[in-house]
Amino acid sequence: MDIETLKAQNPDHWNKAAAIRALSLDAVAAANSGHSGMPIGMADVATVLYEKHLKFDAAHPGWHDRDRFILSAGHGSMLLYSLLYLVGDPEITLDQVKNFRQWGAKTAGHPENFLAQAIETTTGPLGQGIANSVGFAMAEEALRARFGKKLVDHHTYVIAGDGCLMEGVSHEAIGIAGRQELSKLVVFWDNNNITIDGTVALSDRTDQVGRFTAAGWHVQEIDGHNPAEIDAAITAAKADKRPSMIACKTHIALGHAAQDTSKGHGALTNADQNAEAKAIWGWTTGPFEVPGDIKSAWEEIGRRGAADRAEWDVRLAEMSAARQAEFARTMAGEAPKKLSSTIKALKKQISESAPKVATRKSSEMVLEVLNPILPETFGGSADLTGSNNTKTGDLGVFDIDNRKGRYMYWGIREHGMASAMNGMALHGGIRPYGGTFMCFTDYARPAMRLSALMQVPTVYVMTHDSIGLGEDGPTHQPVEHLAISRATPNTLVFRPADTVETAEAWEIAFTQTKTPSVLSLTRQNLPTVRTEHKTKNLTAQGAYVLADAEGKRQAILMATGSEVEIAMAARDILHAEGIGTRVVSMPCWELFEEQDEAYRKRVLPGGPVRVGVEAGIRFGWDRWLFGERGKREKSGFVGMHGFGASAPAETLYEKFGITAEAVAQKARDLVEGRWQADPRT
Amino acid sequence: MDIETLKAQNPDHWNKAAAIRALSLDAVAAANSGHSGMPIGMADVATVLYEKHLKFDAAHPGWHDRDRFILSAGHGSMLLYSLLYLVGDPEITLDQVKNFRQWGAKTAGHPENFLAQAIETTTGPLGQGIANSVGFAMAEEALRARFGKKLVDHHTYVIAGDGCLMEGVSHEAIGIAGRQELSKLVVFWDNNNITIDGTVALSDRTDQVGRFTAAGWHVQEIDGHNPAEIDAAITAAKADKRPSMIACKTHIALGHAAQDTSKGHGALTNADQNAEAKAIWGWTTGPFEVPGDIKSAWEEIGRRGAADRAEWDVRLAEMSAARQAEFARTMAGEAPKKLSSTIKALKKQISESAPKVATRKSSEMVLEVLNPILPETFGGSADLTGSNNTKTGDLGVFDIDNRKGRYMYWGIREHGMASAMNGMALHGGIRPYGGTFMCFTDYARPAMRLSALMQVPTVYVMTHDSIGLGEDGPTHQPVEHLAISRATPNTLVFRPADTVETAEAWEIAFTQTKTPSVLSLTRQNLPTVRTEHKTKNLTAQGAYVLADAEGKRQAILMATGSEVEIAMAARDILHAEGIGTRVVSMPCWELFEEQDEAYRKRVLPGGPVRVGVEAGIRFGWDRWLFGERGKREKSGFVGMHGFGASAPAETLYEKFGITAEAVAQKARDLVEGRWQADPRT
């Protein structure tokens, strides 16, 4: 259909959609930056979705039972901002739209979840939105199973572009959704045949219909500018028991000189061409001006769900006070009061029994006592359940016929798992944790960065965290991954030395509301080093004195995780020689950085030589080796200087020189004034 | 078919395959570690492939025109080692097989390309092998187009498991292969229905046949234990003009008590069960013993391609000396002699004309002069060609009807691109480079790590390398990615300050043979700071004095890339105040670390205060801030302390305090004894 026919057939629809188009065009032109074509192309789909289907109440963007709308093609952010302004969202005002992409505005270049409540997730890195949405839909299923349909009963709608569907993570996401029959997930594919480099055919010929069908999805193909087809397709999608993909044939930058071209993907800033486009759309008002009747019609749409929401409020109010409180606590992500006492009791028991176990096993021991008291936890693994020790006895398996199950077999999909976990956390009401090998942090990395950027408390259980995994070799042995995790802002990286520190790490991770955690856990057994029970969470200080020097303090050994045991043995060697040696355990650098200077100096005083010990690379360690007054020639590092190798773990520690004797030797050398100038050691 | 029928129908085949099974079982049992079930399950496919189809000459594993065999399911490494020992590969001896997974052995837990010539690539991180193979097949097409069918005419065969096919990167890889109609790529899917967590159905129900068909592949389904079906399918695959996927229905750990179970995936070490399995296979010799006739039959297979190879040698010898030399140079990855002089001429011209351009544009200027003299380069971008500036005038586009094209539109597939580039580099004869935004290093990360681990000189052109990209906001603004890249062993990370440094960086990158490079390039324009021409490649020293102090040297400003301009401006401010200030440009930390202590001290002498300036996080900078004799209270850092924001670039630099005035203030404070104890700054 041409534009004139579309206008004539349904002028009310056309004008509402034109408002999105005009606002998007104006905002991008004013910013001289952004993406005009996608909002223009998908305005019809978005209009029908908001007008006829999306359950929401614009005045209450945080309503827990709203339908979620995920703009996976996040570069088209003006589509979302236009919609939110038009329906009367209290946070996205006209001023915000006018300040698109400017400092301090909520209307950032790509949607950022922490800037406004109605922005469900942060998109822009392609494929993340569609993968998040799988988590949103899973969270809805899980919470519906837990709290009932009266409180939880909503859909997740997604707009995804060609870029989202080319990214590998989309494959993982649609595989999960198909396997789990997430019937309330509906994805609109903006099938505009345009990428930045040119037509899609330049790089891809995938039959998306065939592909989604193969993944177990319900698939429809429609004209993405025809409101009747859009409406019918959404209705059919909601009725099908499978997740739905609606392939919407659209024209990027419809009606603009750049229509159907890759130029149309970017910022359309030519004033004459923009004026022409508006004329073609029948849009006659000035920049950022929406005629009163059209704005009113949109605001009516914004109020469409108000009654639904009010009824929902009533249903909630009719529940028992305990149930209401539990629902509120769950949705707020607050840890239950019992968490702290449970951890303390476990720590006491562990300090007394002093088991020698791998910290991945320690983690399981902690989860065994925490999962029963935190019904909001949701565990999983990317096909390494038995290795990651993430499944505890009472969880049950999340599946089509068991939505109360709280454990997920994610399959060999680290990226999809991480991204879906982010979606669950963003949805609210779920505290997700998931495992893989530490080395495969690499695969999950784009989503792990977004956990940090989006400020969601996803927990990553990363086991087999060093050459200590042994024979699997360098492809599976992380050496740089602690550095990578620590380099990421707003991320807590825990490398506990024993079960007590592991328990403390979990307590901290499960009380976060805006920060993800990475638990770096061993494959190999470690002794309990915290044999003296302390109720205080020492890991919360980031680093602390585990064992002080006997006699004059001449050396400080700083270590994390599995190397704390080695540092302790080195201390014995040095003490036998009369070299007073302190061992500092440093399970979480980020928390240590947050301590005040006085505490940091108490733990790491100037004077003694310092040796860092970690079965990873040195990168990042200099900050602690030098400290406030430290000097290079009084410090050293024992760790990895490159990739690992395939051999039994003990052999590797020996061959790579990460031993108590090597640590003692390094300290001895420094105390006695021998120092190597090689900056790589 | 049951085992007895299989044995009876084709005893010769059965015994050859049984040799693989028995050796794999023995090696894993001896190592008490590894994966027995996959080699046992895929032994029939591998036997038919090697016996009837694979073009190779066991005595010459480095023959350039061999077919490539990629074990994407790398955990089944004993399949490959068994094959190589059986056919008489000179590097994989019986001793190597017996030392499976031990220190120093070539038979590592997962195949490592640098340990033996016949190990084409490093696999283990799932999905990498199949994605590499796309690059192998592309390299073959490109080299065939360049050197002719007489020298280049071979297939790429892959064994992939369920894990490979669930990983997102497989989606990107098969999309590329389908789009490019890589007809000489044949993938065997080990369809054994087992993952570590249980049956595949636990986590996935994807119709793989439908999925590969949707991606434009030729697909067949066969019984993976029936040699006749395997043979026929390979023949059909080779005849089809599309890439081929052969779904091989197999039984993991066939004949063993653990058959068809996830236990069968891992190490089968129960002696009784192993003995039973051998009895079922009809295998009566002791551990690691292959009956003479069976070994002879395998060695005959190993010699099958000897005549082919000899004929190929003749064809090569008949070519002109120049062509032979060029082929040899290309396959050896040697840079042409003209590289150095071309770079010098460009540098001279740039130092004179002093353009103000973004370093992504600088990079294009360099490639414009290098691509014509390096016919082995192969450029591309993950759908950001115009932004990454990776396409130069003469390259032509690689496509089905233009295999001489040296530029690839990879689509929105950073991971697939990186992994395929690794495959091209591993194949030999191609020097691949590819671009995306620096922030999407995250997406390519698993393959980037493998570039480093596998020792291949892939070049990553990472543009838009800081908040300097402006309005796109924090999802697109790298802050931790320099640290991530620098933390990776065996990786050169270049952050050039201008066009001259960019030219020097490319010269270094294009002369590497065992080390990948990351070029971190700006979106925004930068002035030429190297206005005095030096023939010497200063970037090769990693860091150097760009501008020395006037008067007494009181401060050293260390900067990279876009912040060198800021450091230079800060120097002007400080000089106006009488504070003698040196500016050190540090385009490549790794190369600076390789310099001797004397040079490092000349560049960064003790005494003056030090300020590091980089629009990224501080992580890793302490090494240079403190230096050989440096002290924390005499150093500071001006950079990012968290994620960025969406706004124009100039605003962001101002708001985040990365300005000449802020740098001057930090230096001034330190010179005058004012210092902040906050370790995060």
Side-chain angles (χ1 to χ4, degrees):
Chain A
M1 266 190 280
D2 62 25
I3 290 176
E4 289 311 314
T5 315
L6 286 168
K7 267 200 269 192
Q9 278 195 343
N10 194 336
D12 283 351
H13 165 82
W14 178 266
N15 286 333
K16 284 197 280 279
I20 295 174
R21 295 186 163 105
L23 285 169
S24 300
L25 194 66
D26 288 341
V28 171
N32 197 27
S33 157
H35 302 79
S36 316
M38 185 279 198
I40 294 171
M42 284 300 281
D44 297 302
V45 168
T47 298
V48 175
L49 174 66
Y50 271 64
E51 181 170 6
K52 303 265 174 82
H53 295 276
L54 195 79
K55 179 166 84 170
F56 76 110
D57 178 357
H60 295 85
W63 175 28
H64 290 311
D65 201 30
R66 69 191 179 278
D67 283 349
R68 266 57 169 187
F69 173 61
I70 314 273
L71 188 70
S72 190
H75 55 275
S77 56
M78 268 313 303
L79 177 72
L80 179 59
Y81 304 143
S82 298
L83 284 163
L84 293 176
Y85 159 63
L86 287 168
V87 296
D89 183 281
E91 297 187 284
I92 306 299
T93 61
L94 186 58
D95 259 7
Q96 290 290 344
V97 172
K98 288 181 178 171
N99 277 298
F100 179 54
R101 294 187 156 227
Q102 304 310 305
W103 180 261
K106 294 178 182 300
T107 48
H110 293 80
E112 292 172 27
N113 67 296
F114 48 89
L115 294 180
Q117 282 187 90
I119 303 174
E120 303 287 357
T121 181
T122 293
T123 48
L126 293 173
Q128 294 300 325
I130 189 170
N132 292 161
S133 74
V134 170
F136 273 91
M138 286 174 62
E140 195 268 349
E141 295 280 359
L143 290 166
R144 183 149 36 87
R146 184 173 167 208
F147 288 104
K149 219 175 154 160
K150 286 186 180 177
L151 289 190
V152 184
D153 188 13
H154 51 264
H155 285 80
T156 303
Y157 295 99
V158 184
I159 289 183
D162 293 298
C164 294
L165 299 195
M166 270 198 238
E167 289 288 358
V169 70
S170 68
H171 169 63
E172 303 183 23
I174 73 170
I176 297 166
R179 165 63 185 78
Q180 288 289 342
E181 289 183 12
L182 299 175
S183 61
K184 300 175 87 173
L185 175 62
V186 180
V187 174
F188 303 95
W189 167 34
D190 179 15
N191 179 13
N192 61 28
N193 196 31
I194 290 297
T195 74
I196 292 174
D197 277 353
T199 64
V200 170
L202 264 188
S203 57
D204 193 43
R205 284 187 190 155
T206 301
D207 164 15
Q208 298 289 357
V209 170
R211 173 197 175 198
F212 275 80
T213 303
W217 285 54
H218 170 237
V219 184
Q220 302 171 81
E221 292 182 272
I222 62 165
D223 174 350
H225 298 301
N226 183 320
E229 285 190 31
I230 298 165
D231 184 25
I234 300 175
T235 301
K238 289 198 288 192
D240 200 276
K241 70 166 196 159
R242 293 163 292 178
S244 260
M245 192 277 264
I246 304 174
C248 309
K249 189 82 209 75
T250 62
H251 296 281
I252 199 166
L254 179 80
H256 192 280
Q259 178 182 320
D260 298 330
T261 69
S262 57
K263 195 183 171 315
H265 171 90
L268 299 176
T269 54
N270 180 303
D272 291 343
Q273 291 180 349
N274 288 359
E276 268 173 52
K278 284 189 182 178
I280 288 170
W281 301 334
W283 198 258
T284 54
T285 53
F288 297 107
E289 268 182 55
V290 179
D293 57 332
I294 299 177
K295 183 69 166 76
S296 296
W298 267 111
E299 286 172 6
E300 207 180 302
I301 293 172
R303 286 187 298 271
R304 201 171 42 80
D308 260 8
R309 192 194 53 75
E311 286 164 27
W312 183 89
D313 280 349
V314 171
R315 289 198 298 275
L316 179 62
E318 284 168 357
M319 295 194 171
S320 73
R323 194 148 181 84
Q324 288 185 53
E326 181 62 4
F327 185 71
R329 181 193 73 76
T330 302
M331 296 309 292
E334 281 165 19
K337 293 200 177 60
K338 279 174 75 179
L339 174 61
S340 171
S341 57
T342 306
I343 290 286
K344 283 190 185 101
L346 177 68
K347 279 167 60 179
K348 185 159 189 294
Q349 177 211 316
I350 295 293
S351 290
E352 286 164 10
S353 61
K356 181 164 180 164
V357 294
T359 48
R360 63 186 171 123
K361 179 69 187 168
S362 305
S363 171
E364 184 182 352
M365 292 158 69
V366 178
L367 290 170
E368 285 286 5
V369 299
L370 293 191
N371 278 332
I373 63 162
L374 281 95
E376 61 269 33
T377 59
F378 188 99
S381 165
D383 198 44
L384 289 168
T385 295
S387 299
N388 299 146
N389 298 69
T390 34
K391 188 166 183 292
T392 59
D394 66 324
L395 287 182
V397 174
F398 182 84
D399 210 333
I400 302 161
D401 55 6
N402 186 30
R403 297 304 197 197
K404 287 195 171 165
R406 287 162 55 204
Y407 191 81
M408 177 74 176
Y409 291 115
W410 291 104
I412 300 103
R413 301 182 179 109
E414 301 80 7
H415 195 177
M417 171 179 76
S419 197
M421 287 199 296
N422 283 342
M424 300 184 98
L426 285 163
H427 179 283
I430 303 282
R431 197 173 266 286
Y433 68 85
T436 183
F437 287 162
M438 183 76 181
C439 211
F440 302 141
T441 303
D442 286 351
Y443 279 79
R445 166 81 200 147
M448 291 177 76
R449 178 179 209 247
L450 281 164
S451 306
L453 176 55
M454 299 198 293
Q455 304 171 19
V456 293
T458 307
V459 183
Y460 296 95
V461 183
M462 300 310 202
T463 71
H464 297 61
D465 72 344
S466 75
I467 52 167
L469 68 82
E471 293 89 343
D472 273 342
T475 54
H476 287 51
Q477 290 161 355
V479 295
E480 72 274 44
H481 300 81
L482 280 166
I484 288 172
S485 302
R486 288 169 180 154
T488 309
N490 189 39
T491 301
L492 295 176
V493 183
F494 297 99
R495 193 159 188 259
D498 69 1
T499 309
V500 174
E501 282 192 5
T502 305
E504 292 177 337
W506 270 113
E507 181 180 16
I508 300 164
F510 274 168
T511 46
Q512 297 305 306
T513 55
K514 292 178 180 258
T515 302
S517 299
V518 176
L519 273 69
S520 168
L521 304 171
T522 66
R523 177 194 186 198
Q524 72 273 31
N525 287 342
L526 302 180
T528 298
V529 292
R530 287 275 295 281
T531 48
E532 187 188 336
H533 175 57
K534 294 238 162 62
T535 53
K536 188 173 178 182
N537 187 323
L538 301 185
T539 299
Q541 297 173 302
Y544 61 92
V545 179
L546 177 64
D548 213 344
E550 291 167 8
K552 187 183 168 216
R553 188 165 55 221
Q554 294 181 270
I556 299 176
L557 309 180
M558 300 173 284
T560 72
S562 41
E563 286 67 66
V564 171
E565 173 186 14
I566 292 171
M568 291 293 280
R571 175 176 173 268
D572 289 344
I573 295 171
L574 292 164
H575 276 174
E577 298 170 15
I579 300 174
T581 302
R582 165 182 287 192
V583 170
V584 172
S585 181
M586 305 188 76
C588 184
W589 290 10
E590 296 79 20
L591 292 174
F592 189 49
E593 287 194 349
E594 284 179 12
Q595 306 304 307
D596 62 23
E597 190 184 4
Y599 177 77
R600 295 199 312 271
K601 281 191 181 172
R602 270 208 308 284
V603 175
L604 297 177
V609 306
R610 297 183 184 188
V611 178
V613 194
E614 189 169 79
I617 55 156
R618 178 180 176 133
F619 200 83
W621 265 96
D622 294 76
R623 192 263 165 274
W624 310 114
L625 294 176
F626 301 154
E628 323 290 343
R629 296 284 189 280
K631 292 184 180 178
R632 173 163 289 274
E633 75 273 27
K634 293 190 71 180
S635 67
F637 179 71
V638 173
M640 297 295 291
H641 305 294
F643 295 111
S646 172
E650 308 71 40
T651 307
L652 293 172
Y653 269 89
E654 194 67 37
K655 295 286 185 183
F656 287 114
I658 306 175
T659 61
E661 184 39 57
V663 174
Q665 183 64 44
K666 183 78 81 176
R668 198 183 291 129
D669 283 350
L670 293 168
V671 167
E672 294 170 6
R674 291 182 302 274
W675 176 72
Q676 298 291 325
D678 187 345
R680 290 165 294 186
T681 61
Chain B
M1 263 188 284
D2 62 24
I3 290 177
E4 290 311 313
T5 316
L6 286 168
K7 266 199 268 190
Q9 279 195 343
N10 194 335
D12 282 353
H13 165 83
W14 178 266
N15 286 331
K16 284 198 280 279
I20 296 173
R21 295 187 164 106
L23 285 169
S24 300
L25 194 66
D26 288 341
V28 171
N32 198 27
S33 156
H35 301 80
S36 317
M38 185 280 195
I40 294 170
M42 285 300 279
D44 297 302
V45 169
T47 299
V48 175
L49 175 66
Y50 270 65
E51 182 169 6
K52 303 266 175 80
H53 295 276
L54 195 78
K55 179 166 86 171
F56 75 110
D57 178 357
H60 295 84
W63 176 27
H64 290 311
D65 201 31
R66 68 191 179 279
D67 284 348
R68 265 57 168 187
F69 172 61
I70 314 272
L71 188 69
S72 190
H75 55 275
S77 56
M78 268 313 304
L79 177 72
L80 179 59
Y81 305 143
S82 298
L83 283 163
L84 293 176
Y85 159 63
L86 287 167
V87 296
D89 183 281
E91 296 187 284
I92 306 300
T93 60
L94 186 59
D95 259 6
Q96 290 290 342
V97 173
K98 289 181 178 172
N99 277 299
F100 179 53
R101 292 187 156 225
Q102 303 310 304
W103 180 261
K106 294 177 182 301
T107 47
H110 293 81
E112 291 171 27
N113 67 297
F114 48 89
L115 295 180
Q117 281 188 91
I119 303 174
E120 304 286 357
T121 182
T122 293
T123 49
L126 293 173
Q128 293 300 323
I130 189 170
N132 292 161
S133 74
V134 171
F136 274 91
M138 286 175 62
E140 195 268 349
E141 294 280 358
L143 290 167
R144 182 148 38 85
R146 183 171 169 212
F147 289 104
K149 219 174 153 159
K150 286 185 179 175
L151 290 189
V152 184
D153 188 13
H154 52 265
H155 285 79
T156 304
Y157 295 98
V158 183
I159 290 183
D162 293 298
C164 294
L165 300 194
M166 271 198 237
E167 288 288 358
V169 69
S170 69
H171 169 62
E172 303 183 23
I174 73 171
I176 297 166
R179 166 62 185 79
Q180 287 289 342
E181 290 183 13
L182 299 175
S183 60
K184 300 175 86 172
L185 174 62
V186 180
V187 173
F188 303 94
W189 167 35
D190 179 14
N191 179 14
N192 61 29
N193 196 31
I194 290 298
T195 74
I196 292 173
D197 277 352
T199 64
V200 170
L202 263 189
S203 58
D204 193 43
R205 286 189 190 154
T206 301
D207 164 16
Q208 298 289 357
V209 170
R211 172 195 177 201
F212 275 80
T213 304
W217 286 54
H218 170 238
V219 184
Q220 301 172 79
E221 292 182 271
I222 63 166
D223 174 348
H225 299 300
N226 183 321
E229 283 190 32
I230 298 164
D231 184 26
I234 299 174
T235 301
K238 288 199 288 192
D240 200 276
K241 71 164 194 157
R242 293 163 293 177
S244 261
M245 192 277 265
I246 305 174
C248 309
K249 190 81 209 74
T250 62
H251 296 282
I252 198 167
L254 179 79
H256 192 279
Q259 179 180 322
D260 298 329
T261 70
S262 57
K263 194 181 172 316
H265 171 91
L268 300 176
T269 54
N270 181 303
D272 292 341
Q273 291 180 346
N274 288 359
E276 267 173 54
K278 284 189 182 177
I280 288 170
W281 301 333
W283 198 258
T284 54
T285 54
F288 298 108
E289 267 182 58
V290 180
D293 56 332
I294 299 177
K295 182 72 167 75
S296 296
W298 267 111
E299 286 173 5
E300 208 181 301
I301 293 172
R303 285 188 298 270
R304 202 170 41 80
D308 261 7
R309 193 193 53 75
E311 286 164 27
W312 183 89
D313 280 350
V314 170
R315 291 199 297 276
L316 179 63
E318 283 168 357
M319 295 194 171
S320 73
R323 194 147 180 84
Q324 288 184 52
E326 180 62 2
F327 185 72
R329 182 193 72 75
T330 302
M331 296 310 293
E334 281 166 20
K337 293 200 175 59
K338 278 174 76 179
L339 173 61
S340 170
S341 58
T342 305
I343 290 286
K344 284 192 184 98
L346 177 68
K347 279 168 59 180
K348 185 161 190 295
Q349 177 212 315
I350 294 293
S351 290
E352 285 164 9
S353 61
K356 182 164 180 163
V357 293
T359 47
R360 63 187 170 123
K361 178 70 187 167
S362 305
S363 172
E364 183 182 352
M365 292 158 70
V366 178
L367 290 170
E368 285 285 6
V369 300
L370 293 192
N371 278 333
I373 63 163
L374 281 94
E376 62 269 32
T377 60
F378 188 99
S381 164
D383 198 44
L384 290 168
T385 295
S387 299
N388 298 147
N389 299 67
T390 33
K391 187 165 185 290
T392 59
D394 65 325
L395 287 183
V397 174
F398 182 84
D399 209 334
I400 301 162
D401 54 6
N402 186 29
R403 297 304 197 197
K404 286 194 171 167
R406 288 161 54 203
Y407 190 80
M408 176 74 175
Y409 291 115
W410 291 104
I412 300 105
R413 301 182 179 108
E414 301 80 7
H415 196 176
M417 170 178 77
S419 197
M421 287 200 296
N422 283 342
M424 299 183 98
L426 285 163
H427 179 282
I430 303 282
R431 196 173 266 285
Y433 69 85
T436 184
F437 287 162
M438 183 77 180
C439 211
F440 302 141
T441 302
D442 285 351
Y443 279 80
R445 165 82 200 146
M448 291 177 76
R449 178 179 209 246
L450 280 165
S451 306
L453 176 55
M454 298 196 294
Q455 305 170 18
V456 292
T458 307
V459 183
Y460 296 95
V461 183
M462 300 309 201
T463 71
H464 297 59
D465 73 345
S466 75
I467 53 167
L469 69 82
E471 292 90 342
D472 273 342
T475 54
H476 287 52
Q477 290 161 355
V479 295
E480 73 274 44
H481 300 80
L482 280 166
I484 288 172
S485 302
R486 288 169 180 154
T488 309
N490 190 38
T491 302
L492 295 176
V493 183
F494 297 99
R495 193 160 189 258
D498 69 0
T499 308
V500 174
E501 283 192 4
T502 306
E504 292 177 338
W506 270 113
E507 180 180 15
I508 299 164
F510 273 169
T511 47
Q512 297 306 305
T513 55
K514 291 179 181 257
T515 302
S517 298
V518 176
L519 273 70
S520 169
L521 305 170
T522 66
R523 176 194 187 198
Q524 72 273 32
N525 287 341
L526 301 180
T528 297
V529 291
R530 287 275 294 282
T531 48
E532 188 189 335
H533 175 58
K534 294 239 161 63
T535 54
K536 189 172 177 181
N537 187 322
L538 301 186
T539 299
Q541 296 173 304
Y544 61 92
V545 179
L546 177 64
D548 213 343
E550 291 166 7
K552 188 184 170 213
R553 189 165 53 221
Q554 293 181 270
I556 300 177
L557 309 180
M558 300 174 284
T560 73
S562 41
E563 286 67 68
V564 171
E565 173 187 15
I566 292 171
M568 291 293 280
R571 174 174 173 268
D572 289 344
I573 296 171
L574 292 163
H575 275 174
E577 298 170 14
I579 299 175
T581 303
R582 165 182 286 191
V583 170
V584 171
S585 181
M586 305 188 75
C588 183
W589 291 11
E590 296 79 20
L591 292 174
F592 189 49
E593 286 194 348
E594 284 179 13
Q595 306 303 306
D596 62 25
E597 190 185 3
Y599 177 76
R600 294 200 314 271
K601 283 192 181 171
R602 271 208 306 285
V603 175
L604 297 177
V609 306
R610 296 183 183 188
V611 179
V613 195
E614 188 169 79
I617 55 157
R618 179 181 175 135
F619 200 85
W621 265 95
D622 293 77
R623 192 262 162 276
W624 310 113
L625 294 176
F626 302 153
E628 324 291 344
R629 297 282 188 281
K631 291 183 182 178
R632 173 163 289 273
E633 74 272 30
K634 294 190 70 179
S635 68
F637 179 70
V638 173
M640 297 295 290
H641 305 293
F643 294 111
S646 173
E650 308 71 39
T651 306
L652 293 172
Y653 269 89
E654 194 67 38
K655 295 286 185 183
F656 285 113
I658 307 175
T659 62
E661 185 40 56
V663 173
Q665 183 64 42
K666 183 76 84 176
R668 198 184 292 128
D669 283 350
L670 293 168
V671 167
E672 294 170 7
R674 290 182 302 275
W675 177 70
Q676 298 290 326
D678 187 345
R680 290 166 294 185
T681 62

